[in-house]
Amino acid sequence: MKKKKTQVCIIGSGPAGLLLSQLLHNEGISSIVIDRQSREHIEARVRAGVLEWGSVEALDEAGIGARMHKEGIPHAGFELAFNGDRHRIDIKGHTGKDVMIYGQTELTVDLIARRLEQAGEIVFSASDVVPLDVKSPSPKVRYCANGENYEIECDHIAGCDGFHGVSKSAIPDDVLKTFERVYPFGWLGLLVDKPPVSEELIYANHERGFALSSMRSKTRSRYYIQCSLNDKVEDWSDQRFWDEFSLRMGPQIAADLQTGDSFEKSIAPLRSFVAEPMRYGNLYLAGDAAHIVPPTGAKGLNLAIADVRVLSRAFVEHYKRNNDAYLDRYSEICLKRVWKVERFSWFMSMMLHHFPNMSAFEKRMQRAEFDHIVGSETASRSVAENYVGLPLEI
Ligand code: APR
Ligand code: PHB
């Protein structure tokens, strides 16, 4: 068994783990990041692409915002559409802030490049990763890489290993509480190198189901439609996708749609999930390891960034000021905001999707939610405040 030592051992090299390692490095705190996937696999993963104002600030503070500002697109608003009736949420007007369109894939590439540039240690393609003695003053993480067995001794373990990770399972069943809602549909998404149909995002409710117009740049579009969980990607030719997307967006929007050959197409399930507590001994969960939101609120990545902003602050207080107040309140601080963000993502999902066996009354309620937002400055402002990002206690 080869031994290593570090202050914080981070399981998971997604945005949560990588940003945490960067923020700690900037404060002179050591960490080792371990991931079971290869660098190529991690950098190829297609995920969402809307950054809250606070996330943009955090990435700038971490010193990795340059390409984001160069290639990202600030957005001052987005649209809701109901059977073709459109309403713009004026994010900037209501909050004075923007969101930033910048792909999670690009962000992950930037984070890995910077860590390695600064000789940060990231162990890719590790197997049998196991957190041990998480309640002891010297927890350990064991893993196997290139046929060798390793043991990292550390002060703290950050479980940033996503929903299917190993960290959560280190918390005993009688301690861990989980809350979940699985939605009875998925999102079929595609990427195409065509200019987006609209300058800003459009979230559309249609009697045939939900649709979303998003983008990665002014020449690369990302489109989604609600699909059945029984659907397979091969059931959906590009042409079938374009026909359905146009129907759901309505003739006015579809008139501007430039179609083409997609180069990525995938189906993702929708889930709301929260695990409590987010701390157990010297193990701290962050990002998808602790909570999942349906993508309808564009919150998954931003929640992961928010968690590691709180966690890195807590470690800095611990190591530099011998103050454990933030470590002790980490779970409480994060969960208070997590549940509000879960509410917004659930609210957007309930308002914008077609649910099997929906009653006529429920359909009218969705419409009434939309009409309320259209007709009320306060309701529009509330959507804008949630979308741009709720305040973070750090
Ligand atoms: N051992 C080592 N690494 C693991 C293990 C394991 N047992 N299980 C998972 N991992 C790694 C995965 O390979 C992945 O690279 O943990 C990483 C988790 O990264 P993400 O899933 O991207 O999670 P997170 O960093 O919290 O980012 C959340 O990702 O899924 C999106 O919508 C979500 O945008 C949100 C963001
Ligand atoms: C995306 O661009 O992939 C995207 C944008 C907004 C969402 C979800 C996904 O709410």
Side-chain angles (χ1 to χ4, degrees), residues 23-238:
L23 290 169
L24 294 178
H25 169 81
N26 294 352
E27 295 284 345
I29 299 167
S30 69
S31 66
I32 297 176
V33 179
I34 309 169
D35 201 292
R36 65 178 169 192
Q37 299 288 0
S38 68
R39 179 178 180 180
E40 296 64 38
H41 176 93
I42 292 168
E43 292 187 343
R45 270 191 304 233
V46 174
R47 294 269 176 79
V50 178
L51 292 168
E52 292 175 344
W53 177 267
S55 296
V56 172
E57 286 182 332
L59 297 171
D60 283 339
E61 278 157 30
I64 52 133
R67 193 161 76 101
M68 170 184 65
H69 288 290
K70 196 157 143 274
E71 298 175 12
I73 316 169
H75 273 196
F78 69 92
E79 284 190 56
L80 294 172
F82 252 73
N83 295 328
D85 298 339
R86 299 165 70 172
H87 173 68
R88 181 171 183 270
I89 300 288
D90 179 4
I91 298 174
K92 188 96 179 182
H94 286 304
T95 69
K97 300 169 184 167
D98 295 315
V99 294
M100 176 74 85
I101 304 299
Y102 188 61
Q104 176 173 327
T105 314
E106 306 316 316
L107 174 60
T108 305
V109 166
D110 296 345
L111 284 162
I112 291 176
R114 176 57 54 84
R115 290 309 304 120
L116 298 181
E117 220 174 80
Q118 299 170 329
E121 184 168 0
I122 307 178
V123 181
F124 292 108
S125 307
S127 58
D128 308 325
V129 178
V130 187
L132 297 165
D133 311 335
V134 298
K135 288 219 92 173
S136 80
S138 50
K140 300 168 185 61
V141 176
R142 286 199 181 141
Y143 67 94
C144 181
N146 311 319
E148 304 259 23
N149 292 320
Y150 292 85
E151 180 178 281
I152 301 175
E153 190 175 318
C154 54
D155 305 329
H156 309 277
I157 299 174
C160 302
D161 48 356
F163 184 68
H164 302 288
V166 66
S167 300
K168 232 186 338 280
S169 55
I171 306 180
D173 295 348
D174 61 344
V175 175
L176 189 73
K177 279 208 298 301
T178 61
F179 306 81
E180 185 168 36
R181 160 99 202 228
V182 177
Y183 298 84
F185 40 73
W187 275 17
L188 169 66
L190 67 71
L191 277 168
V192 62
D193 277 332
K194 288 288 179 187
V197 70
S198 60
E199 274 217 10
E200 297 180 330
L201 273 61
I202 305 177
Y203 292 83
N205 178 319
H206 187 275
E207 65 228 6
R208 297 173 67 88
F210 168 80
L212 167 62
S213 162
S214 180
M215 65 216 54
R216 290 291 173 272
S217 71
K218 295 212 179 326
T219 58
R220 176 168 290 183
S221 299
R222 177 70 166 160
Y223 299 127
Y224 298 94
I225 54 172
Q226 171 186 351
C227 66
S228 154
L229 284 170
N230 306 321
D231 282 1
K232 300 264 173 303
V233 168
E234 23 318 340
D235 302 337
W236 285 89
S237 66
D238 282 0

